Amino acid sequence: MDSGDGWKHLSLFMAVAVAAATIGCRMLVPQPAARRDRGKSGKRQTQPTEIKEGVAGLIGNTPMMRINSLSEATGCTVLGKCEFLNPGGSSKDRIALHLVERAELAGELEPHTGSCIFEGTSGSTGISLAMVARAKGYACHIVMPSDQAAEKSELLERHGARVERVAPCSIVDANHFVNVARRRAEAFGRDDGQTTRGGSSGRRGFFVDQFENPANLEAHFFTTGPEILRQTGGGVDAFVHGAGTGGTLAGVTLFLKPRVPGIRCFLADPQGSGLANKVNHGVMFASTEREGSRRRHQVDSLVEGIGLNRLTRNFARLFGRAGAGHCLLDGAVTVADADAVSMARWLMQADGLFVGSSAAVNCVAALEIARRLGPGHTVVTVLADSGQRHLTKFWNDRAMAALGFSVAAPDSLDHFARIT
């Protein structure tokens, strides 16, 4: 399906699904109240509703936790949605499942036909896609930048994916990881004479296109947003989240804004990303983009998975359907790498919470928003993944010290200066 058609039909799809979304249902694959299987005796046995239907049934409905140290320091209730408890270890499980199921409904994918799912990703989406692909009967080919944490590519391989690492470069370069993945999908199965299990000819290469595919935003509009509404009982004053593809932030914001009067939604942005400046001032620019000052090709940050210097179609939805209107966000907070490193160490020491780099950025921004709002408010953020897939970089104290960052946990949250 053409991406333009995807955006044209998105409103209708949302309108049909909104009732189901509000109660946190999975729309695309309705779950039976109970499944009947034959036991060893040969008799029909009823499977209780607490039993999930395979790996896909484990995705979503993650718990919400009170982050005690941040809450006690601000007088607010600071909540973290524990997306690291998804079976693939991150919030990307949601979009992996949703995008694949949408492709199946559209006839773009059929399981057990030799078809392959392709994507360009910094790692987490790839891990989720590899898991879903294996569970559903597809091959998976992931293209990722070579500067990402080594354990991500190792996890991908353990999930059965083929991993292709390429040098980091700008999205306008033909060798950017997203562009390479697109070409691999287009070339796959092209008149190769392969035959499917059912006897029909032709296997397919499906390019997920998480940055521009509207089904990314849908996944969070239908699941993450409704879950936050239900878990807080509607008592949420602010939502804070980073943006890579922009799908989570856009989907949750579009869902919550019409349903929670007065809610304020904020972008948490790593240093080197231009998105915060776009939200706050209407211009896409990061100070590290000045000529001669840039160290990396994407964003000048050690944080993986969030931060961009372009508007994706998913993020652009926050500026209206044409991507050029009034921004739905109420502001953006830029988080320095040093603060992300310190916040991760603080959360481990004070709360026993082991988070990855993007979750640490979210928590620094959530602390700042809680301070701005004042005591008595409820601030929700997302703990996208754990520190387990960041051991060789963000959680490698020797590597961080070599970059000039303190790896000692701060003595108090006063360490984090107010962000203006």
Side-chain angles (χ1 to χ4, degrees), residues 107-115 188-205:
E108 297 175 287
L109 275 175
E110 183 180 350
H112 306 295
T113 59
S115 293
F188 182 84
R190 193 182 283 162
D191 299 324
D192 61 3
Q194 294 291 324
T195 303
T196 68
R197 180 183 291 181
S200 59
S201 62
R203 55 184 184 170
R204 293 188 175 186

Side-chain angles (χ1 to χ4, degrees), residues 57-75:
L58 297 173
I59 296 173
N61 289 308
T62 54
M64 187 92 75
M65 66 167 287
R66 180 180 185 266
I67 305 177
N68 291 333
S69 67
L70 304 187
S71 299
E72 290 161 6
T74 61

Side-chain angles (χ1 to χ4, degrees), residues 120 167-183 207 209 211-212 294 297-298 308-312:
C169 58
S170 169
I171 187 67
V172 300
D173 192 310
N175 293 317
H176 185 274
F177 63 95
V178 171
N179 298 329
V180 173
R182 182 185 289 106
R183 288 202 305 277
F207 176 51
D209 198 14
F211 289 91
E212 311 300 335
R294 194 177 194 189
H297 285 282
Q298 183 177 355
L308 279 181
N309 284 304
R310 72 181 193 276
L311 283 185
T312 66

Side-chain angles (χ1 to χ4, degrees), residues 221-246:
F221 183 91
F222 295 139
T223 65
T224 316
E227 288 173 30
I228 290 172
L229 184 67
R230 184 179 70 250
Q231 289 170 321
T232 61
V236 52
D237 298 293
F239 175 69
V240 183
H241 196 271
T245 66

Side-chain angles (χ1 to χ4, degrees), residues 244-269:
T245 66
T248 306
L249 183 61
V252 172
T253 297
L254 287 167
F255 183 86
L256 291 179
K257 280 275 186 175
R259 293 168 178 82
V260 183
I263 188 172
R264 284 167 276 189
C265 297
F266 297 88
L267 167 69
D269 211 29

